[in-house]
Amino acid sequence: MTIFQTVSQLVAKGVEAEFIQPRDTAYVRNQLLGLLELDSFEEEPSTSTSKDIPDLVEVLVDYAVSKQVIEDILDEKEKLSANLMNCFLPQPSVVQDKFYQLYQEASEKATNYFYEFSKNSNYIQMKRIAKNIHYKTKTEYGELDITINLSKPEKDPEQIKRERETKQTSIPYPKCLLCAENEGYAGRIGHPARSNHRIIEVPLEGESWFLQYSPYVYYNEHSILLAEEHRDMKIDRAAFARLLAFVEKFPHYFIGSNADLPIVGGSILSHDHYQGGRYPFAMTKAKDAFTFALKAYPDIKASVVKWPLSVIRLQSTDKNSLIKAASDILAKWKKYSDPTVDILSDTDGTPHNTITPIARIRDSKFELDLVLRNNRTTEEHPLGIFHPHEDVHHIKKENIGLIEVMGLAVLPARLKDELAEIKKFLLGEANKVEDYHKEWAKQINQTHQARLTRENVDQILEDELGAKFSKVLEDSGVFKTNQIGREAFQTFLHTLNE
């Protein structure tokens, strides 16, 4: 297979995917040749291929490295890959126009088109995502999702060295990874290429917001909705209004927000954004633990969800009533303290209480989940009282954001090899179990020794990992699911009617 045949195959795949028309083939081919620094093209017999677009792009990138067109470092390869794909893609306005043409028929048709576009354009890294380990595990809270994240490529030493030498990480454009001006950005050392990136403008409550998909989707149609303005995350009445306005426009999607405080917030608090998609999380399917009345809002069904975190679920046909009720609950929660269960609203004026909200439409009604969060720390729990505690840090030490809140664990790549060593230990084979896993491995062995076999050891490990994630979520709940926690939760709920 020659480089010219690979170019021809990629162009043919572009036609097949309806990115370009047959009339465009010479133009696109010449754009590809230019990026590969090839001055001519040799016509060769066409050959079919089982490779898809990402595979063919990877072949071209490898060629460019071998011919020293680019250096063999991650960001250079990512830049070329995105630029190669951009040769096939229409301008953002064309993508957006088609999105809204389809939206006139059905909102689902519009998102189906944009999701497939984002995958075919190799912006969503489906080949890398396929490397992730993913399974469901049964717990008392339902089937939790466990993902060991193997999709994000590791930075090699040369990449890190180049970032330090060039100091390009300090360039203030784009302002952050979520800013709208990333659309079409070529990338640089320390900032990912976005040449093949397209976003859709979605007006919400008098503001411009933009819809895109995550390049590393953790669940079906994992989308990001970002503010046009680069501003900090904020949970307030306007946020509730935007979330409900979005699901009104796209009723087949849920949309939620990370909390707006450190520890309980997500990884990027410097840009106002939400995450949505089409996936039935365990929390979504969780039943009511009990219902309660909101006297000021008789049209709203209010309940506490049977879930390890503290979740108030509001449901109504009246969107504005939900916005008002959620705003009232947020205001009460921000000022609420109960030292008997370690909840303080603030420390010397620094706030601790906030909410992780999730909106959806269910049974033709608006539904809003309000997950109560608190980011207080102590000497005993320096990373957070309502944060994964030290006994689960060997599994999960990072912040519990929106995705984890809903019941999907995103766990570090190191666990793939570390679990393999624990498996060897359980089977009585030579192993190198990490010190921070040894106590856990012994506990698993003691619990399951009588029935543990080579055939069921993987299932046992998966279930034990799921139990650890359940503990992570329980640690993060402000009102625990025991009697003391439920009584404390009831005390807070009484304040909502005062």
Side-chain angles (χ1 to χ4, degrees), residues 170-375:
S170 63
I171 295 174
Y173 181 87
K175 295 184 184 72
C176 77
L177 294 174
L178 289 177
C179 282
E181 58 260 33
N182 280 282
E183 186 177 35
Y185 186 65
R188 63 176 186 268
I189 298 298
H191 192 102
R194 292 290 183 259
S195 300
N196 58 335
H197 180 39
R198 301 292 184 268
I199 58 180
I200 305 294
E201 185 174 3
V202 179
L204 290 175
E205 301 296 296
E207 290 187 340
S208 284
W209 285 66
F210 292 91
L211 177 68
Q212 67 173 71
Y213 290 102
S214 169
Y216 296 100
V217 292
Y218 291 125
Y219 52 86
N220 187 47
E221 298 182 46
H222 180 182
S223 49
I224 298 171
L225 191 68
L226 54 98
E228 181 177 39
E229 180 187 359
H230 180 76
R231 66 191 186 207
D232 289 347
M233 294 275 296
K234 187 171 178 61
I235 302 300
D236 56 10
R237 182 191 183 97
F240 299 140
R242 285 190 291 266
L243 294 176
L244 290 169
F246 180 85
V247 295
E248 190 171 31
K249 288 175 181 284
F250 301 96
H252 58 294
Y253 273 13
F254 79 88
I255 190 82
S257 176
N258 278 308
D260 54 355
L261 294 179
I263 296 176
V264 294
S267 58
I268 301 179
L269 297 181
S270 60
H271 195 112
D272 210 359
H273 71 285
Y274 311 131
Q275 293 182 77
R278 182 158 36 173
Y279 186 74
F281 288 93
M283 194 185 86
T284 309
K285 294 184 281 188
K287 304 298 183 182
D288 294 341
F290 59 88
T291 60
F292 63 95
L294 286 175
K295 294 179 181 178
Y297 304 95
D299 61 303
I300 291 179
K301 177 193 172 186
S303 63
V304 167
V305 179
K306 185 180 178 182
W307 193 244
L309 284 95
S310 306
V311 186
I312 295 173
R313 178 167 288 168
L314 307 178
Q315 193 178 66
S316 177
T317 56
D318 188 337
K319 180 177 67 173
N320 292 324
S321 184
L322 277 186
I323 294 168
K324 292 177 184 176
S327 301
D328 286 349
I329 292 171
L330 175 64
K332 288 282 181 70
W333 175 242
K334 279 187 170 182
K335 297 178 181 178
Y336 188 76
S337 294
D338 184 346
T340 66
V341 286
D342 293 321
I343 296 170
L344 297 180
S345 64
D346 68 278
T347 300
D348 299 327
T350 299
H352 295 312
N353 289 350
T354 185
I355 279 175
T356 296
I358 302 105
R360 66 183 73 87
I361 290 179
R362 195 200 305 253
D363 300 329
S364 301
K365 295 179 181 178
F366 292 100
E367 188 171 271
L368 196 56
D369 285 350
L370 305 176
V371 187
L372 307 180
R373 312 297 303 276
N374 177 288
N375 77 343

Side-chain angles (χ1 to χ4, degrees), residues 145-163:
D145 289 284
I146 306 295
T147 294
I148 297 178
N149 183 17
L150 305 173
S151 57
K152 289 188 178 180
E154 296 288 337
K155 291 183 179 181
D156 55 65
E158 182 60 27
Q159 167 86 16
I160 296 169
K161 178 184 175 184
R162 283 284 301 276
E163 287 184 15

Side-chain angles (χ1 to χ4, degrees), residues 436-454:
Y436 47 76
H437 286 315
K438 284 182 177 177
E439 186 61 35
W440 183 47
K442 290 176 184 176
Q443 290 173 359
I444 296 172
N445 192 46
Q446 290 170 1
T447 303
H448 301 281
Q449 191 173 37
R451 70 180 191 91
L452 194 149
T453 66
R454 188 171 295 277

Side-chain angles (χ1 to χ4, degrees), residues 145-149 218 263 265-267 373 383 387-405 408-415 418 436-437 440 465-473 475-476:
D145 289 284
I146 306 295
T147 294
I148 297 178
N149 183 17
Y218 291 125
I263 296 176
S267 58
R373 312 297 303 276
L383 297 182
H387 178 86
H389 290 176
E390 190 173 359
D391 63 324
V392 294
H393 283 178
H394 64 111
I395 295 298
K396 179 74 172 176
K397 191 176 182 179
E398 299 79 13
N399 293 5
I400 300 305
L402 174 67
I403 295 173
E404 286 91 357
V405 162
L408 192 160
V410 181
L411 303 178
R414 61 177 171 81
L415 283 176
E418 292 174 0
Y436 47 76
H437 286 315
W440 183 47
L465 190 58
K468 277 286 182 180
F469 181 53
S470 290
K471 175 63 165 56
V472 164
L473 296 181
D475 288 346
S476 305

